[in-house]
Amino acid sequence: MSDSESVTGSGSRSDAGTDHPAYPVGLRLAGRRVVVVGGGSVAQRRLPALLAAGADVLLIAPAVTASVEAMADAGELTWQRRPYADGDLDGAWYALIATDDPATNRAASAEAESRRVWCVRSDDASAATAWTPATGQSEGVTVAVLTGRDPRRSAAVRDAVVEGLHDGTLTAPRHRGRTGGVALVGGGPGDPDLITVRGRRLLAEADVVVADRLGPRDLLAELPPHVEVIDAAKIPYGRAMAQEAINDALVEHAKAGRSVVRLKGGDPFVFGRGMEEVEQLAEAGVPVTVVPGITSAISVPGAVGIPVTHRGVAHEFTVVSGHVAPDDPRSLVDWPALARLRGTLVLLMAVERIGAIAETLVRHGRDAATPVAVVQEGTTAGERRVDATLATVAERAAEEGVRPPAVIVVGDVVSVGTRDRG
């Protein structure tokens, strides 16, 4: 085949190509010449990705936007301040034609065709030899979408895929270059929608999940069949997995090269023994990622309409563990000082000892008529609220059969929430 026949044939294939889907490919442009003709808004949008790919960018335009000029001043690209001229695509691997002059665009595109340089045209996609996909990134994954001549649809599909990868609703676990480690994930107060985006994504990528009873259990049903789920439930006064056994399981699976998620309720560092697990893993040489969670101390009251602070009512709130009684020598809480505070008191793990706690607060000066709300299984389908005062909360909780987990709120903000609901 002669050279003239080859060129003619190439042009014919280009015309026919508009009726066929584009062939997707990832260009490795690092150190390779890319020519951009035009310095307006299109170039401004496209240049960052080209520069991020390491391309050797030559920009040809009499004038450019301020942002593009800043890229040139910073030495990120070479800017020749003149109109396009034939021969400018010599040595190029890829070209972006984006001027507001149709004649210039046609001429540059024709040169690209003759030199067999893949060329994108901003003014006429049908005349281009390449199309720019709608792209996005999430955790090292580049998503590129082409839908022919419908860029808005491309962007919509791109956004949906990136969002799914970002929040874990679209699972794409790594299979190469993986190293074992543990992600300590705070799952929030119980509603699966209240786990953080990062927590949900790591859960979707896990090989092993070590789950607490108070974590968002509904999310476990979404895990693929190959994921091993270890029940580390700590049921009060019932069967429990010893903390040492939990630590051993985390270390064992991580050192076997697996991706492990330690799924905990609330936030790992709010009465969750999270730091104990971090210390044990660090001692064993296991890398740890801590993902904070929404603590039930704030979210559960909020879910039933109780603000832990409110202008003119409470300027502070204190979160206290009630897992030991006020008169227990192991208690680290200054209960007399708490009784003197005027703000909100939030009690966690206090259902079994609420009578002793209420009596201690009243004895040290807190008004017995102070409103109290007990919220059981907050944010879940089993959520219920019991209202009382410090004088009556123990009796009311017993009458209603309140059981853990429950968050107890003490303070005038309880009445604010009741008034607002009414």
Side-chain angles (χ1 to χ4, degrees), residues 52-324:
D56 174 18
V57 177
L58 171 62
L59 174 67
I60 300 171
V64 298
T65 68
S67 294
V68 173
E69 185 172 1
M71 297 177 200
D73 291 344
E76 295 181 276
L77 54 84
T78 301
W79 176 24
Q80 295 189 6
R81 308 185 185 201
R82 59 173 177 80
Y84 161 80
D86 186 45
D88 281 341
L89 301 188
D90 183 28
W93 291 70
Y94 183 73
L96 170 62
I97 312 301
T99 79
D100 56 6
D101 177 23
T104 296
N105 293 343
R106 286 194 298 271
S109 182
E111 181 186 354
E113 184 77 21
S114 66
R115 292 181 181 273
R116 302 193 179 194
V117 175
W118 295 110
C119 174
V120 173
R121 281 185 61 170
S122 64
D123 63 333
D124 187 356
S126 64
T129 54
W131 292 337
T132 301
T135 61
Q137 289 193 333
S138 177
E139 292 294 306
V141 176
T142 298
V143 177
V145 180
L146 287 170
T147 54
R149 304 176 191 179
D150 192 346
R152 291 186 179 181
R153 188 183 183 202
S154 296
V157 174
R158 181 262 329 264
D159 291 344
V161 173
V162 169
E163 182 178 358
L165 290 172
H166 192 57
D167 65 19
T169 55
L170 181 59
T171 304
R174 295 175 176 86
H175 294 283
R176 295 184 180 180
R178 300 184 68 184
T179 57
V182 175
L184 196 64
V185 175
D191 184 339
D193 286 341
L194 295 180
I195 190 173
T196 63
V197 169
R198 189 180 188 193
R200 185 159 189 155
R201 184 179 69 247
L202 289 172
L203 190 63
E205 297 175 355
D207 299 311
V208 179
V209 177
V210 182
D212 275 352
R213 181 176 67 97
L214 300 182
R217 294 171 296 175
D218 292 350
L219 292 178
L220 300 179
E222 299 178 4
L223 297 174
H226 73 273
V227 177
E228 181 178 354
V229 177
I230 299 174
D231 180 11
K234 291 181 177 292
I235 304 172
Y237 306 111
R239 185 175 56 189
M241 184 176 184
Q243 187 63 50
E244 293 76 11
I246 295 174
N247 296 340
D248 290 345
L250 296 175
V251 171
E252 176 187 350
H253 287 288
K255 287 197 167 183
R258 302 182 183 99
S259 177
V260 183
V261 166
R262 174 71 168 106
L263 184 62
K264 305 173 76 71
D267 181 274
F269 289 171
V270 179
F271 307 135
R273 304 187 72 173
M275 183 51 68
E276 296 178 37
E277 295 174 355
V278 169
E279 291 172 343
Q280 290 295 317
L281 290 166
E283 185 177 328
V286 174
V288 184
T289 299
V290 178
V291 181
I294 301 174
T295 175
S296 60
I298 300 173
S299 57
V300 167
V304 295
I306 300 175
V308 293
T309 64
H310 190 68
R311 186 173 60 177
V313 177
H315 290 175
E316 84 272 349
F317 68 95
T318 306
V319 182
V320 179
S321 170
H323 74 287
V324 295

Side-chain angles (χ1 to χ4, degrees), residues 11-67:
S12 175
R13 284 193 299 271
S14 176
D15 294 340
T18 59
D19 296 327
H20 298 278
Y23 181 78
V25 65
L27 298 181
R28 302 178 65 189
L29 296 175
R32 295 183 169 93
R33 172 60 58 89
V34 172
V35 177
V36 178
V37 181
S41 60
V42 173
Q44 181 177 319
R45 291 198 309 271
R46 302 302 182 196
L47 280 169
L50 293 171
L51 295 173
D56 174 18
V57 177
L58 171 62
L59 174 67
I60 300 171
V64 298
T65 68
S67 294

